[in-house]
Amino acid sequence: MTLHSMTGFASGQGAEGAYTWVWEIRSVNAKGLDVRARVPDWLEGLENEIKTRASNKLGRGNVTVGLRLSRAEDGKGQMQINTAAMETMLAAIAATQAQAAQVGLQLAPVRATDILQMRGVLEQATAEQDSEQLVQRLLSEFDSLLADFVNMRAAEGAALLAVLTSQIDRIDALRAEAAQRADDRQAQIAETLKSNLARVLSNSEGADPDRVAQELALIAVKADVTEELDRLAAHVAAARKLIGQGGPVGRKLDFLMQEFNREANTLCSKAQNAALTEVGLELKTVIDQMREQVQNIE
């Protein structure tokens, strides 16, 4: 499986009979999946079907589907009989003939073509009356457009994968550098502790040497960053596994970025060394950049 971006865009257009249309699908980041369809109300069932089909293909994102539909009123569309109007005309003709007969008048027979030419009897089919066939055609095109949209999000996801892989590698390299800087500062910490111990003992009559030693040892423990570095290594492995398996892993990666940031903050607070602090700050910068990219992943 591959990663998919939550941002994407696709468009298409088509025509059938007197109708022409333009499709657009676009999406932006969101915590969940929200599909909104803007389609003509008289296309019965189209909106719900669009939402269902989109939800089956997409995992996350604020998705907007738009359909601009036009109908040419050029008189070339399908014609149909207005049954109600015809019944009214036939009743009027029958009443006229009956009244004429009562006074001894014989009217000429009424031809079908005469009736069809009467106002309102023969009319062009309305959009609502031929919507069912149109909806099926539109849904067929929407499926193709949705496939293009998914492919576009996958292409953007592939680009994100390359960026994330590079950033994870950089975090791992900084973690290794931090471990080296932490080892290098051991002599400095030991010397500082000895100096502090000697100063305290020389200026504190009756001070308990064991108690002072315990306090200094506690300070040394608080300066140890081994656990932070180990957890960073575990987070790096977890991140690589997630982006390797692909699919909708954006939420898991987002949570993992919080864990990355927590360890980097603790590393900086425990550094007590300019070189190690510098690495910790660079680590925080890369983590923040990676978190921005993770926000785009489905």
Side-chain angles (χ1 to χ4, degrees):
M1 298 181 69
T2 60
L3 294 180
H4 285 72
S5 170
M6 279 193 285
T7 60
F9 175 81
S11 64
Q13 57 186 14
E16 180 172 287
Y19 296 98
T20 58
W21 56 83
V22 176
W23 284 105
E24 280 190 0
I25 308 179
R26 60 180 73 243
S27 65
V28 295
N29 301 348
K31 291 183 178 180
L33 178 64
D34 182 17
V35 180
R36 301 181 182 182
R38 300 172 180 172
V39 301
D41 294 337
W42 57 269
L43 292 174
E44 187 175 353
L46 180 61
E47 180 178 356
N48 289 337
E49 190 63 27
I50 284 174
K51 290 182 178 181
T52 299
R53 297 188 184 195
S55 297
N56 289 337
K57 296 292 184 180
L58 306 173
R60 290 175 66 198
N62 191 333
V63 183
T64 301
V65 180
L67 172 65
R68 298 196 303 273
L69 183 68
S70 301
R71 186 173 189 272
E73 299 293 345
D74 56 3
K76 297 179 181 179
Q78 182 179 354
M79 303 301 292
Q80 68 176 17
I81 294 174
N82 186 322
T83 304
M86 174 173 280
E87 289 176 352
T88 299
M89 290 297 180
L90 290 175
I93 291 171
T96 301
Q97 289 177 334
Q99 189 172 356
Q102 290 178 2
V103 296
L105 295 178
Q106 181 68 37
L107 301 180
V110 179
R111 297 175 300 176
T113 53
D114 296 330
I115 298 174
L116 292 176
Q117 290 174 2
M118 294 178 181
R119 185 178 180 84
V121 174
L122 189 63
E123 61 184 10
Q124 196 172 36
T126 63
E128 290 81 355
Q129 291 163 331
D130 54 10
S131 65
E132 184 175 351
Q133 179 179 349
L134 181 60
V135 166
Q136 294 306 313
R137 171 64 187 276
L138 288 170
L139 285 174
S140 176
E141 284 204 358
F142 177 73
D143 287 340
S144 298
L145 186 67
L146 183 59
D148 291 341
F149 180 69
V150 171
N151 290 336
M152 176 173 287
R153 300 212 324 175
E156 291 191 14
L160 283 174
L161 175 60
V163 173
L164 292 176
T165 300
S166 175
Q167 289 171 333
I168 292 174
D169 289 344
R170 179 58 179 157
I171 290 173
D172 197 27
L174 287 170
R175 180 203 58 79
E177 185 177 350
Q180 183 60 53
R181 297 287 177 88
D183 288 341
D184 293 343
R185 71 173 184 156
Q186 292 303 315
Q188 172 193 336
I189 291 178
E191 186 61 33
T192 300
L193 290 175
K194 289 179 182 179
S195 176
N196 289 341
L197 177 59
R199 185 170 62 255
V200 170
L201 292 177
S202 64
N203 290 283
S204 301
E205 295 182 3
D208 183 357
D210 292 337
R211 177 61 178 171
V212 174
Q214 289 175 2
E215 292 296 329
L216 293 175
L218 182 60
I219 294 174
V221 170
K222 290 182 178 180
D224 185 16
V225 295
T226 302
E227 289 187 6
E228 287 72 27
L229 294 175
D230 288 344
R231 283 193 289 266
L232 278 173
H235 296 338
V236 165
R240 283 178 171 158
K241 181 179 179 180
L242 283 173
I243 67 173
Q245 75 183 41
V249 296
R251 288 180 178 175
K252 292 181 180 180
L253 282 172
D254 190 35
F255 174 77
L256 192 57
M257 297 317 301
Q258 299 177 39
E259 299 301 309
F260 268 115
N261 196 53
R262 182 178 293 111
E263 302 307 331
N265 284 334
T266 306
L267 179 65
C268 288
S269 67
K270 286 185 173 184
Q272 300 183 18
N273 176 273
L276 184 56
T277 299
E278 181 182 355
V279 175
L281 292 175
E282 176 65 17
L283 190 60
K284 284 170 59 67
T285 299
V286 178
I287 290 171
D288 189 55
Q289 292 171 345
M290 182 175 172
R291 187 173 185 277
E292 290 181 2
Q293 297 300 326
V294 166
Q295 300 302 309
N296 296 321
I297 297 176
E298 185 178 67

